[in-house]
Amino acid sequence: MTEENKLENIIPESAPAEVTAESNTAPETADTEATVESQTAPVTADVQPTVGVPEAEETGATEGTGEKPATEEKKKPKKKKKPAKKVIEIEGLGVRFNMAEQKVDSLKEYFIRLVHRNLKYKEFWALKDVTFSIRKGDRVGILGLNGAGKSTLLKVIAGVLKATEGTVTVKESVVPLLELGAGFDKDYTGAENIYLYGSMLGYKRDFIREKFDEIVKFSELGDFINVPVKNYSSGMRARLGFSIATIVDPQILILDEVLSVGDAKFKKKSANKLKKMMKSGVTVLLVSHQSDQVRSICNKAIILEHGRLIASGKAEEICDQYEEMINKDKQN
């Protein structure tokens, strides 16, 4: 084997062209082998080419361009926001009422029938197999025709009625506006009923005394606050009841068609007060027959029919479905 053939075996096939050119012009001496090895070694260490694989594929970027490899360009996925906690959970709720099949005119007749086991009742389920949950900050509209069980559902959540079956879990404080002024004593004055109704809602006497002037001012009753409630109009009772119930910002607010009570001025004033409360993140349950009202206030809605939950979802979609139900009912 000649010296020239030995040099060809020493130079790798994938070495850069510049190194090959130098090796062909180098003198054929024993020192040439050492010179070629010393020149090719550092070049190979820096570049480290792999036979049959382009450099761009191996490094993920072209040398000198400054581009980051593809793996580094990938952005980290954004963290999803955790859903708000559930503040109301209802599962398999049922409420049953016993309707007497025969009229009992006196307590004596009632006990006689009771002893002889002659009391006959007809079961009526106002709610049956109702299951849903509400998260903190949700504004849920409850839609349905008359007798669907809307008010009964709110009364169970508020603790006014007890469920016959199923479970109802409420994790925050509730202020129910079911029937404004329902707890008033007609023989008491408006001022006295502020303390009476406030205590029924769970307010302490010192708190009511502190907020007394604010309640009277919002109700706009003026001197009538010292007049017995039996002399009030329905609108005056509604204003006083609303003023007492909304003196604090509740965590859960239950409204049973209270926005339809009173004169136009009170409706506007109460609506503005409710909107202010909603902006603070209050969870709202609203019963209404007006789909436009549900659209403007609520982000979610449900439909009850004959005591059963038949639809739930976004307010816009549920309101559309409710309007279709009403149109079909009118045609029939």
Side-chain angles (χ1 to χ4, degrees):
M1 183 180 293
T2 61
E3 291 290 326
E4 186 174 354
N5 291 336
K6 289 181 180 179
L7 284 173
E8 290 178 359
N9 291 333
I10 293 172
I11 301 174
E13 293 181 4
S14 58
E18 295 178 0
V19 177
T20 307
E22 286 183 24
S23 63
N24 290 336
T25 56
E28 298 179 3
T29 61
D31 295 334
T32 305
E33 293 180 13
T35 305
V36 174
E37 288 180 2
S38 63
Q39 290 178 357
T40 57
V43 174
T44 305
D46 291 339
V47 181
Q48 295 181 350
T50 304
V51 177
V53 180
E55 290 184 36
E57 291 183 7
E58 186 178 16
T59 60
T62 306
E63 284 189 17
T65 60
E67 295 180 0
K68 295 182 179 179
T71 55
E72 294 183 10
E73 291 180 358
K74 291 182 180 179
K75 295 182 179 180
K76 294 181 180 179
K78 295 182 179 179
K79 293 182 179 179
K80 294 182 179 180
K81 292 183 179 179
K82 292 183 179 180
K85 69 174 183 178
K86 294 179 180 180
V87 292
I88 298 176
E89 294 183 78
I90 297 172
E91 187 172 352
L93 173 63
V95 177
R96 183 189 65 204
F97 295 104
N98 292 327
M99 301 174 64
E101 293 184 353
Q102 296 177 344
K103 185 179 179 181
V104 179
D105 295 324
S106 65
L107 185 61
K108 179 181 177 181
E109 184 180 355
Y110 173 81
F111 278 109
I112 291 173
R113 288 180 179 272
L114 180 63
V115 171
H116 292 284
R117 298 181 180 180
N118 196 23
L119 285 173
K120 295 181 180 180
Y121 296 99
K122 183 179 179 181
E123 290 185 351
F124 171 72
W125 288 91
L127 294 171
K128 187 69 174 177
D129 296 329
V130 176
T131 300
F132 68 97
S133 61
I134 299 174
R135 296 186 180 276
K136 186 175 180 61
D138 280 345
R139 303 179 303 279
V140 181
I142 303 175
L143 298 167
L145 303 176
N146 289 329
K150 305 183 298 296
S151 296
T152 303
L153 175 61
L154 292 189
K155 288 177 180 178
V156 173
I157 295 173
V160 177
L161 291 178
K162 187 177 180 181
T164 306
E165 62 182 19
T167 59
V168 177
T169 305
V170 181
K171 300 178 180 178
E172 292 185 340
S173 62
V174 176
V175 170
L177 300 182
L178 302 176
E179 298 176 11
L180 293 177
F184 289 163
D185 189 313
K186 295 182 179 180
D187 293 326
Y188 286 2
T189 65
E192 292 169 334
N193 273 290
I194 289 177
Y195 286 94
L196 176 63
Y197 193 45
S199 63
M200 291 176 62
L201 294 175
Y203 303 157
K204 294 182 178 180
R205 188 174 183 83
D206 292 339
F207 175 79
I208 298 173
R209 187 184 297 111
E210 181 183 345
K211 298 289 184 180
F212 183 88
D213 293 338
E214 186 177 340
I215 293 171
V216 175
K217 182 179 179 181
F218 187 88
S219 66
E220 300 179 351
L221 291 176
D223 294 336
F224 285 98
I225 198 66
N226 296 315
V227 174
V229 170
K230 62 183 178 183
N231 296 323
Y232 284 11
S233 66
S234 59
M236 293 171 71
R237 286 196 299 269
R239 291 206 303 269
L240 182 58
F242 186 88
S243 302
I244 299 169
T246 58
I247 195 62
V248 295
D249 292 336
Q251 294 175 315
I252 300 175
L253 182 62
I254 296 179
L255 308 171
D256 189 2
E257 300 185 64
V258 295
L259 298 182
S260 60
V261 179
D263 54 25
K265 184 180 179 181
F266 172 74
K267 288 179 182 178
K268 184 177 180 180
K269 190 173 184 178
S270 60
N272 292 335
K273 178 72 179 267
L274 292 175
K275 287 179 180 178
K276 183 179 178 181
M277 294 170 69
M278 291 174 191
K279 288 181 180 179
S280 63
V282 175
T283 304
V284 178
L285 280 80
L286 169 68
V287 165
S288 178
H289 289 285
Q290 302 176 18
S291 57
D292 292 339
Q293 192 177 67
V294 173
R295 291 178 196 271
S296 62
I297 295 177
C298 304
N299 63 329
K300 295 181 181 178
I302 63 175
I303 299 177
L304 292 175
E305 185 177 33
H306 302 301
R308 294 181 181 271
L309 179 66
I310 63 170
S312 64
K314 294 181 179 179
E316 286 289 337
E317 299 173 359
I318 299 301
C319 286
D320 292 340
Q321 186 175 342
Y322 178 66
E323 290 171 358
E324 291 177 4
M325 285 177 56
I326 294 175
N327 294 332
K328 288 181 181 179
D329 188 63
K330 288 180 179 179
Q331 292 175 1
N332 296 333

